[in-house]
Amino acid sequence: MKIETVKYSISGMTCDGCAKTIEEKFEGNGGILKNSVSYKDALGEFQYDSEMVTKDEIAELINSTGHYKVVNEIIENNGSGNNVYDKDNSKSKESNVNIDYDLIIIGGGSAAFAAAIKASELEKKVLMINDGLPIGGTCVNVGCVPSKTLIRTAEALHTANHPNFSGIKPGENKIDFKEVINQKRKLVEDLRQKKYVDVISDDENITVLKSRAKLVDKNTVEVNSVKKSASVILIATGSTTYIPDIPGLKETGYYINDTLYELDELPEHIIIIGGRYIALENAQLFARLGSRVTVLQRSNRIIPTEMPDVSETLTEYLLQEGIEIKTGVKIDSVSKKDEKVKVKILHGENEEIVEGSHLFVATGRKGNTENMGLEKVGIELHGKGFIKSDKFNRTNIPNIFSAGDVTGEHLFVYTAAYAGALAVENAFQSDIKEKDYSVLPWVIFTDPQLAGVGLDEEEATKAGIDYDVSKIELKDVPRALAARNTRGFIKLIRNKKNDKLIGARILASEGSELLMEISLAIKYGITTKELKSLFHPYLTLSEGIKLAAITFDKDVSKLSCCAV
């Protein structure tokens, strides 16, 4: 027999009964010689035979309750804790482990920053290690911020040259593409400094290192050939473009969102592989700036996860702007000749060559998890290199958490920030919370914007909900008529049993601004009857929500503007 003692900090206990429940979990386990759990101190001390059970198995048994969680092992260096005894109990050896930080964060994007800020609020000592993209990660450097300012630039040019009002003559405005990119760079630099670097620069609890981190064990990382340890480790390394295995692609060269916004000259003809969020936003952006654009989509329609009326209507609007969209295609190979990119595609039974000046790949994302030592520690992955995490953002290693794009869940900056903060709360606070994405609004920033929240018709059917749909065209919304921009629709989905909204899809200029009213209605169970009774100012786009709610029971095209 080899007797050892381990002491764990345990979260989730709310009373002495909780402590008793954990103790009872070990009854009948022959490897456990003695155990004592204290609700008041949030601690559990276990004496065990290490030839029959390991301390990790003890931690896993506590975690398996679903209510209580081992936060970290308590290492006492004064001779009183974690002693290892010989068979005859005559001699002891102390286990001296120095913990440098409470939390080590690998990554420097929105999940990492939200986690660092939350940990600092809890008075925890944090080390953030960032490599690859500059501080701020994808969103501020190569994603949301640069793309959205360029989208607005393109929209301003398009509106000036294609006014909606007959009294305004179409213009022939041109762009200075280099200045457009320079202005984008300035915005990125300013926001990175003000919203990331400056936010933590004076925080004594947070240390930032620019380097690559590699896991050594569950508490230790190696950075700059030096080992750093922490009670908790959070992996928030984000994602990057998944590059499909297409013959000739690597040799030909291509752009991804990390590199596309650094072009010095406007592409003459950009070929885009992909047909979802990133592909479509950039297709319209570059088309409006003056490039010829061809979209190659493997599925039979763009945004294939949405209902056909959504993707088909948006397709129609993009085609009207001169964007070429080929769906149901298979990319056979890519090559380059005379400075021209040539993409060989199989389109139905036909073979075709699409030729352009630039190639942009937007074929989904993969987790940034390579060469990090994850396999050494035993962290489980799923899909395209994403880290598997549970409902509390824990990996399969109890003290290692993951958050943000690297988990492969809901790849948005706002969900990443939410997950980063939640991971820290669950790591260091006793009241652990499950992540909740039940009411998650999302937007594709095309024009008109495609915005959604909750279930669509197919998802409602799969959920066994008896639902009905209200759909109002923008031509029946006074605000759209006044703006001479009637493209799109507002679609609401409700549970017929209780009149509560369960989802919405909006295709409209600035349609994203309508999402939060619907999101709140879904979250707090507001009925369509209640929505109709609320004051919605006339000639606002939000009035469209009220009109869509009325449309469940009436044809608003036949009603007065004063209909209630």
Side-chain angles (χ1 to χ4, degrees), residues 220-232:
T220 312
V221 302
E222 184 175 304
V223 54
N224 295 331
S225 300
V226 177
K227 292 180 180 179
K228 300 290 184 180
S229 61
S231 301
V232 176

Side-chain angles (χ1 to χ4, degrees), residues 24-77:
E24 290 174 350
K25 191 77 175 177
F26 293 91
E27 290 182 0
N29 189 321
I32 303 298
L33 306 177
K34 185 189 300 182
N35 72 85
S36 175
V37 181
S38 169
Y39 152 63
K40 180 181 178 181
D41 298 326
L43 295 175
E45 186 170 345
F46 304 87
Q47 191 179 84
Y48 62 101
D49 179 359
S50 62
E51 294 179 349
M52 296 182 64
V53 65
T54 67
K55 64 180 181 180
D56 286 343
E57 288 173 337
I58 295 173
E60 289 172 6
L61 192 58
I62 296 170
N63 293 334
S64 70
T65 63
H67 301 290
Y68 317 112
K69 180 173 71 69
V70 170
V71 176
N72 54 263
E73 180 181 348
I74 305 298
I75 306 296
E76 298 180 345
N77 295 318

Side-chain angles (χ1 to χ4, degrees), residues 391-436:
K391 58 188 178 182
F392 303 111
N393 284 332
R394 299 176 302 204
T395 69
N396 58 302
I397 309 299
N399 71 303
I400 300 181
F401 290 69
S402 63
D405 284 12
V406 75
T407 67
E409 290 185 325
H410 309 297
L411 309 189
F412 305 113
V413 63
Y414 45 98
T415 51
Y418 161 80
L422 182 65
V424 169
E425 289 177 344
N426 285 342
F428 295 108
Q429 294 184 323
S430 59
D431 183 20
I432 61 175
K433 302 174 184 176
E434 295 183 18
K435 52 193 173 186
D436 180 7

Side-chain angles (χ1 to χ4, degrees), residues 262-281:
E262 290 300 317
L263 287 169
D264 290 323
E265 296 183 359
L266 182 69
E268 175 189 347
H269 180 186
I270 185 168
I271 302 170
I272 299 176
I273 301 178
R276 306 191 187 213
Y277 286 60
I278 298 173
L280 298 180
E281 289 181 358

